[in-house]
Amino acid sequence: MRHYDVIVIGAGHAGCEAALAAARLGVSTALVTINLSEIGRMPCNPSIGGPGKSQLVCEVDALGGAMAQLTDETMMHIRLLNTSKGPAMQVRRAQTDRFAYKQAWKRLLESTDGLDLVEGMVEEIVVRDSRAQRVRLREGLELSGDAIIVAAGTFLHGRILMGNVAYDAGRAGEPPSVGLAVSLRELGFRMERLKTGTPPRVHRRTVDTADLERQPTSDVPLAFSFWTTPRVLPDDFPVYVTHTNAETHRIIRDNLEQSAIFNGLMTGTGPRHCPSLESKVVKFPDRDRHKVFIEPEGRDSAEMYLQGIYTAFAPDVQERIVHSIEGLENAHIERYGYNIEYDFVDPLHLSATLEARNVAGLYLCGQVIGTTGYEEAAAQGIVAGINAALALKGEESFVLTRGEAVIGVLIDDLVTKGVAEPYRMLPSRCEHRLTLRERNADLRLAAKGHAIGLLPDALYERVLERERAVDELTRTLKETRVGPNDPINEQLAERDSRPLESNGASLFELLVRPHVRLEDLLPSDGIPDSVREEVEIRGKYAGYLAQHLRDIDHLKRLDSLQIPEGIDYAALTALSFEGRQLLARVRPRSFGQATRVPGVSQADLSMLAVYLKR
């Protein structure tokens, strides 16, 4: 029997980042997947980033993960979104070559020391004395491990649904994982059903783009990774925008019985924030059209992805829907859309390290605990991989708080609130989103990645250089004062900003003004864009950032009040019966986390605080 320190089950984005992190931290690691050719596969849209998600990608990058760098290596198209909302809210979104992307992941993992790839299907996790010890594969192989990470995606009892047709599959072209689902249930995990969907893919040559809105790639150099030189891509693979219409909606309403979502075939709960097209038409009858993005799948592929037409209709209805849309009248569908439903494990079983509370050494991450999205999966994967490795090395566990990272928000939401639908990271979920920006992730998290041993010295030194430059420029602006006779008043007048009064102001105080730019105050030649942008944001949002930092400090104080791990909530009779039940189910690690458990009353929290202080 082969032995590894860490065994990772599943090679989607969660499994890839988990295995990479564990191996890079010096523990022997095996990554087990059904098909080695599908490592890092993007079964849904061929894109990375967007609001909420882009921040996760950059945080994974700052910690020492790979998603951002591989996106930069394989992207065909990239845009900056939310450009009308100010620099703090702007995020990147890239279209990758999905085929090159998965090849890049496989190449990286195969070249990583201490990491073995194993093709096979895990059927059982063997637990002894409440600790995960080994896995059994369908192929007859057994692997023993000191830690096991489950990142099985949509494969657990997966079932594809299309019209009146249903068949078992983990995703299109791959078998489901039945034995592993049974094994997890037998270990005592609560499991429910979720579902997600994909749209049709059409042949590029059969799409008429003449009258469609064209979204070119950015003409400004961009990159996701802090370690990649930003560049302008050739505008060879644009995205096109079209819309559904009244005829599309009529076809959908007249054929709902041919959708697995409405004919009773489907039992899983779907994502509220990314619903199927038929669900949107039914739920929003007043909307006369919905956007459809026609996205390229790869440099050497003619397939185009119809984002916005997620559907579980029968193929003949999909044909009619697609052909009713402008630009797609003669489109040839190469792959039909489908929905897939699957088992997931209630994340309330997990601690903030993503280790199961009832089985030591067993970690779960990605869609298997109720999330949706590549970025969410990667973020959980790197945390699970780090914690598995640190535990085996006898080092302190790694937990990010809500005030430190969007990853912290993601994991805290999962292990504190659970999920009732596929969880997708949204900016609105982050109460400190102005502080947790995309482009300051390196300043927030690189020190942690370096201290763990995941981020190399050379990359960390680059972060320190940027931090020093930002601090130095900020200090110069705060220490430099100007008066009413200074020529800078001419710049203020050009920006429609009021002139200086007799007591003058610091340059930083002037930068806070809405229309004043850094170049109005100081020569900007030689200042790197990454430094200039960070300083401008700190100036423009100074008041808001100060309030965020006060809130985060308050959150830290709440989280510093630890709750004993073995606390018997049933014995806390001063709390309501419901409060004791809710807290016992989540088992929060701190008073701060207890305040976020849904349904726990303020009275119960007050009594819990009294108990903890005693």
Side-chain angles (χ1 to χ4, degrees):
M1 183 187 303
R2 284 189 250 170
H3 178 81
Y4 293 92
D5 295 322
V6 175
I7 299 169
V8 181
I9 304 170
H13 289 86
C16 286
E17 290 285 4
L20 185 67
R24 284 178 169 176
L25 290 177
V27 298
S28 62
T29 305
L31 177 58
V32 185
T33 181
I34 294 172
N35 186 346
L36 288 180
S37 299
E38 298 300 330
I39 286 175
R41 177 178 172 183
M42 305 175 98
C44 199
N45 55 325
S47 67
I48 298 290
K53 294 172 173 284
S54 180
Q55 289 89 331
L56 292 172
V57 178
C58 294
E59 289 179 355
V60 169
D61 188 54
L63 290 171
M67 174 180 261
Q69 294 181 65
L70 297 184
T71 298
D72 290 340
E73 179 184 332
T74 60
M75 65 187 180
M76 306 181 295
H77 179 282
I78 186 168
R79 297 180 70 221
L80 195 62
L81 307 183
N82 295 337
T83 54
S84 64
K85 294 185 178 181
M89 306 309 294
Q90 294 173 11
V91 296
R92 287 149 176 74
R93 186 173 189 270
Q95 301 293 141
T96 64
D97 182 329
R98 71 160 72 243
F99 309 100
Y101 182 82
K102 69 178 183 178
Q103 289 169 356
W105 258 120
K106 187 168 186 285
R107 189 165 55 247
L108 173 62
L109 296 173
E110 287 180 330
S111 65
T112 299
D113 291 339
L115 174 59
D116 288 347
L117 305 182
V118 179
E119 185 170 277
M121 180 182 287
V122 173
E123 293 277 284
E124 183 183 5
I125 296 171
V126 179
V127 173
R128 293 284 184 272
D129 299 322
S130 298
R131 182 167 194 91
Q133 291 193 340
R134 64 183 187 274
V135 297
R136 290 185 178 135
L137 277 62
R138 174 188 60 186
E139 290 75 10
L141 180 67
E142 287 198 11
L143 304 175
S144 66
D146 299 311
I148 296 170
I149 300 174
V150 180
T154 61
F155 281 74
L156 299 184
H157 269 140
R159 190 169 71 134
I160 283 179
L161 304 110
M162 186 189 302
N164 294 309
V165 173
Y167 57 92
D168 296 337
R171 57 192 178 195
E174 295 181 84
S177 180
V178 176
L180 181 57
V182 172
S183 179
L184 289 168
R185 197 178 292 275
E186 289 177 346
L187 290 175
F189 290 103
R190 292 183 299 275
M191 300 176 72
E192 300 291 343
R193 299 285 278 177
L194 292 177
K195 72 97 174 174
T196 188
T198 66
R201 273 80 157 178
V202 298
H203 194 290
R204 178 187 289 116
R205 189 179 59 241
T206 63
V207 177
D208 183 1
T209 60
D211 296 322
L212 301 185
E213 175 192 342
R214 186 182 192 274
Q215 291 186 341
T217 192
S218 172
D219 58 2
V220 176
L222 292 176
F224 260 105
S225 176
F226 295 104
W227 330 121
T228 303
T229 301
R231 69 190 194 277
V232 175
L233 298 171
D235 192 24
D236 297 333
F237 298 95
V239 172
Y240 292 94
V241 183
T242 184
H243 298 83
T244 62
N245 51 55
E247 175 61 13
T248 312
H249 297 186
R250 184 197 64 76
I251 294 169
I252 290 171
R253 285 191 295 267
D254 290 350
N255 292 277
L256 288 176
E257 73 284 354
Q258 295 193 60
S259 167
I261 298 171
F262 290 95
N263 64 12
L265 199 59
M266 189 170 298
T267 61
T269 303
R272 180 162 44 98
H273 299 285
C274 190
S276 67
L277 179 57
E278 51 263 46
S279 296
K280 286 193 287 188
V281 170
V282 170
K283 291 179 180 178
F284 306 104
D286 296 334
R287 291 282 301 273
D288 57 4
R289 67 178 194 168
H290 297 280
K291 273 189 176 182
V292 177
F293 295 88
I294 307 174
E295 302 174 340
E297 292 253 304
R299 290 182 173 86
D300 299 320
S301 172
E303 288 183 70
M304 301 290 280
Y305 181 93
L306 302 184
Q307 185 191 329
I309 310 184
Y310 302 104
T311 184
F313 269 119
D316 63 315
V317 181
Q318 291 190 41
E319 294 272 1
R320 293 161 61 193
I321 289 171
V322 169
H323 294 156
S324 71
I325 297 172
E326 182 182 10
L328 302 175
E329 294 89 347
N330 298 303
H332 169 63
I333 298 178
E334 293 193 333
R335 302 180 198 234
Y336 293 96
Y338 62 86
N339 272 219
I340 182 167
E341 62 177 17
Y342 53 93
D343 287 352
F344 80 102
V345 173
D346 184 346
L348 293 181
H349 281 289
L350 309 180
S351 71
T353 64
L354 297 180
E355 184 179 20
R357 291 198 303 263
N358 59 322
V359 181
L362 181 62
Y363 299 78
L364 295 94
C365 54
Q367 281 183 286
V368 75
I369 58 170
T371 61
T372 182
Y374 311 139
E375 301 86 353
E376 290 86 345
Q380 297 165 70
I382 195 171
V383 170
I386 289 171
N387 277 308
L390 293 180
L392 296 179
K393 295 163 73 173
E395 299 179 17
E396 185 179 351
S397 59
F398 176 69
V399 174
L400 291 169
T401 67
R402 299 182 73 89
E404 291 175 318
V406 177
I407 295 176
V409 175
L410 165 67
I411 293 176
D412 185 65
D413 278 353
L414 292 172
V415 303
T416 304
K417 302 175 183 178
V419 297
E421 61 178 297
Y423 180 102
R424 178 182 182 180
M425 177 47 65
L426 303 168
S428 59
R429 299 189 192 274
C430 307
E431 57 269 47
H432 308 300
R433 57 186 174 275
L434 190 57
T435 305
L436 308 180
R437 302 187 303 277
E438 176 198 80
R439 300 320 290 173
N440 73 348
D442 59 334
L443 302 177
R444 291 185 282 114
L445 299 178
K448 294 179 180 294
H450 182 256
I452 291 167
L454 202 53
L455 189 69
D457 293 344
L459 298 184
Y460 183 50
E461 182 56 39
R462 290 169 59 178
V463 178
L464 293 178
E465 289 177 8
R466 181 161 98 99
E467 191 171 43
R468 286 191 289 265
V470 167
D471 290 344
E472 183 178 344
L473 182 54
T474 302
R475 185 167 54 251
T476 297
L477 291 169
K478 289 183 175 180
E479 293 176 352
T480 304
R481 295 191 65 83
V482 291
N485 297 322
D486 194 283
I488 205 166
N489 273 296
E490 297 176 9
Q491 293 294 109
L492 297 179
E494 290 180 9
R495 295 293 187 185
D496 293 325
S497 190
R498 67 181 185 280
L500 291 169
E501 299 176 359
S502 58
N503 58 344
S506 73
L507 294 183
F508 191 81
E509 290 170 329
L510 295 180
L511 184 59
V512 173
R513 297 186 179 187
H515 303 297
V516 177
R517 303 298 302 273
L518 184 61
E519 57 262 33
D520 299 330
L521 308 175
L522 287 174
S524 58
D525 294 345
I527 301 176
D529 288 344
S530 63
V531 173
R532 177 181 52 77
E533 290 169 3
E534 180 62 25
V535 172
E536 282 212 344
I537 290 172
R538 292 185 181 187
K540 289 285 177 273
Y541 298 93
Y544 298 103
L545 291 171
Q547 180 59 52
H548 272 272
L549 292 175
R550 288 192 291 271
D551 293 341
I552 290 169
D553 185 59
H554 176 65
L555 179 65
K556 285 181 180 177
R557 290 197 299 272
L558 292 177
D559 281 335
S560 67
L561 187 57
Q562 297 294 303
I563 297 176
E565 192 167 327
I567 187 172
D568 181 8
Y569 286 103
L572 303 184
T573 55
L575 276 65
S576 70
F577 179 72
E578 181 185 27
R580 282 177 279 164
Q581 277 192 321
L582 292 169
L583 291 169
R585 186 180 185 194
V586 175
R587 305 204 67 79
R589 69 187 183 281
S590 68
F591 183 74
Q593 187 182 2
T595 66
R596 299 187 291 274
V597 175
V600 177
S601 69
Q602 189 59 50
D604 285 336
L605 291 171
S606 297
M607 296 310 299
L608 178 62
V610 170
Y611 170 81
L612 293 174
K613 288 175 182 177
R614 286 177 181 171

